[in-house]
Amino acid sequence: MTMQCPSCQSKHFDVFDFHGEEVDRCQDCCGLWFERGELNSALSTADNGDDRVRLERSLGQHLGQTSRQCCHCQQPMQHFHLMEGFEVEIDICSECHGVWLDADETQKVVHSPQIKQVLGELDRQISIKTWLFQFLSQMPVEFNIKPKRRPWITYLLMLVNIGIFMAYGFNLSAAEVVFDEFAMRADHIVAGQQPWTLLTHMFLHGDLMHLAGNMYFLYVVGDNLEDALGKLRFVGLYLLCGFAAAAAQIGADPQSNIAMVGASGAIAGLFGMYLLWFRHASLTFMFIVFQKKLSPMAFFAIWLVFNIVGLMMAGQGVAYWAHIGGFVAGLLVGLSLKQSVMARNPLLWMLNQPELKIQR
């Protein structure tokens, strides 16, 4: 019997090896036809964290009958979401139980067991322990995929910052000497003096709370970014964002003699990259005693508004332009590298697809 493609009505098929299963492929649109049991077998063989896939047990919402006809039975096929929370639409024949996948659906279906596992983490309820931590600390809690590798560069950056602060932070006279020599002052840089402070200021902090806040946010976003970028790229872009933050502060007030210290500008750059690459994450925000999961877009919009309001009120002691400059640099880096980062991280690419729906 001649097969006809449910999608483009072509009758030109060839045999295609799909993760160990020989399936029928349309030569024109590259869609794939799976006989009963073939897709489960192929997905169980694929490297996706599940060696006993049973697709029919995890299907999401039934979307009704489609105008597409089964390759074999010529019966109208049924339309389903692949799973709850991952609204990839697939077609199944209720008569012979064959499955049709369009070409752009195949990789999403292959990695669906991993998506299911990650969604379980992202959609989990906020625990009492998490609420108590955030109520006491007023710091966000991140719900995200765990990195595949330990973020050694993130740990090293935290260790260097903490170690340097411990060397001078509890001795006033030592702090004055360190700040005179290694804190950045815009007027000095413009005059060509102490150029090394463009780097060294990123590793100094004014007090313990300043250090703790920066290191916490570095930990929150750094592990995932380091995993996505690789160690050398991560540290290079971290420093690049720090330099961009310093440039923004200098450009905004080149005659300032106020010492600028802190990793905030570099970390703001990480925020920009995180926003573009981890749209599926959730960051909790505490409204007095009410805890709410927010998307990175909403969370960093609030953070940016705080910085813009602080800038407009001409607040002293906080380098608002450095924060904004670092954040914009991170957005530009994130946009320029997004395609290559997604290509190297297929699960991350999938988690950025519009079909993924996170409960917040």
Side-chain angles (χ1 to χ4, degrees):
M1 180 178 180
T2 303
M3 296 180 64
Q4 181 171 301
C5 175
S7 179
C8 69
Q9 281 71 59
S10 169
K11 295 183 179 180
H12 301 107
F13 279 78
D14 59 14
V15 177
F16 180 71
D17 187 337
F18 186 79
H19 296 282
E21 288 291 322
E22 292 188 349
V23 301
D24 297 303
R25 179 178 63 177
C26 174
Q27 294 179 11
D28 293 325
C29 71
C30 296
L32 299 179
W33 172 256
F34 297 86
E35 301 287 352
R36 182 173 188 170
E38 285 183 341
L39 184 56
N40 283 334
S41 178
L43 296 182
S44 299
T45 303
D47 182 16
N48 57 21
D50 188 350
D51 59 3
R52 298 186 66 185
V53 174
R54 295 293 179 268
L55 186 69
E56 65 278 2
R57 297 181 184 176
S58 61
L59 286 174
Q61 182 181 358
H62 180 216
L63 303 174
Q65 184 173 287
T66 77
S67 59
R68 294 180 169 184
Q69 291 187 336
C70 172
C71 290
H72 285 174
C73 308
Q74 307 305 316
Q75 297 296 316
M77 302 184 75
Q78 302 298 315
H79 215 34
F80 288 87
H81 279 156
L82 180 60
M83 67 176 68
E84 185 178 355
F86 195 42
E87 298 178 355
V88 177
E89 298 179 1
I90 64 172
D91 301 301
I92 299 177
C93 177
S94 57
E95 294 291 328
C96 68
H97 302 284
V99 180
W100 174 260
L101 298 182
D102 291 325
D104 63 342
E105 297 169 347
T106 54
Q107 287 307 305
K108 297 173 185 177
V109 173
V110 167
H111 293 281
S112 59
Q114 290 173 301
I115 297 293
K116 184 177 182 179
Q117 181 180 356
V118 170
L119 277 171
E121 288 293 312
L122 295 175
D123 290 340
R124 73 181 187 271
Q125 296 297 311
I126 298 170
S127 67
I128 294 297
K129 184 170 66 174
T130 299
W131 183 92
L132 185 60
F133 168 80
Q134 190 165 27
F135 176 72
L136 295 174
S137 68
Q138 295 300 300
M139 291 293 193
V141 176
E142 176 205 39
F143 291 77
N144 207 347
I145 55 174
K146 302 301 181 185
K148 296 184 292 292
R149 297 169 289 271
R150 285 196 178 275
W152 294 115
I153 295 297
T154 300
Y155 294 159
L156 180 61
L157 286 170
M158 294 172 65
L159 184 62
V160 169
N161 277 277
I162 293 169
I164 290 174
F165 181 82
M166 295 299 291
Y168 72 83
F170 301 102
N171 186 316
L172 185 59
S173 60
E176 290 177 354
V177 172
V178 169
F179 276 39
D180 283 343
E181 189 66 23
F182 298 109
M184 192 197 79
R185 292 172 175 81
D187 59 344
H188 287 189
I189 297 297
V190 171
Q193 302 171 5
Q194 296 183 313
W196 58 84
T197 61
L198 288 168
L199 173 64
T200 56
H201 82 278
M202 300 182 213
F203 298 92
L204 304 178
H205 290 83
D207 56 41
L208 196 57
M209 290 302 296
H210 186 205
L211 173 71
N214 277 346
M215 293 304 98
Y216 183 78
F217 278 109
L218 174 57
Y219 174 75
V220 166
V221 300
D223 57 349
N224 296 112
L225 288 171
E226 181 181 338
D227 193 43
L229 285 164
K231 293 176 172 51
L232 293 179
R233 254 186 170 189
F234 173 71
V235 72
L237 292 175
Y238 175 86
L239 295 175
L240 177 64
C241 290
F243 291 139
Q249 190 66 34
I250 293 167
D253 191 2
Q255 301 306 315
S256 173
N257 65 353
I258 298 175
M260 174 176 154
V261 297
S264 306
I267 295 169
L270 300 185
F271 287 172
M273 287 179 266
Y274 186 93
L275 171 62
L276 292 178
W277 301 344
F278 292 88
R279 56 167 290 278
H280 59 280
S282 294
L283 292 151
T284 55
F285 193 84
M286 182 68 78
F287 299 90
I288 308 175
V289 296
F290 300 102
Q291 194 178 37
K292 172 64 178 173
K293 285 184 183 179
L294 298 177
S295 69
M297 180 67 76
F299 186 88
F300 291 125
I302 294 171
W303 173 85
L304 190 59
V305 166
F306 283 154
N307 278 274
I308 292 173
V309 170
L311 184 63
M312 293 174 63
M313 296 177 64
Q316 297 296 313
V318 179
Y320 291 109
W321 273 113
H323 295 175
I324 295 171
F327 185 68
V328 170
L331 288 175
L332 294 174
V333 168
L335 283 170
S336 65
L337 294 181
K338 185 172 183 178
Q339 187 173 355
S340 64
V341 167
M342 296 299 154
R344 289 196 307 273
N345 298 273
L347 180 58
L348 183 57
W349 172 77
M350 238 133 21
L351 291 170
N352 277 274
Q353 297 305 303
E355 294 93 345
L356 189 82
K357 307 298 179 184
I358 305 296
Q359 296 177 15
R360 294 191 175 100

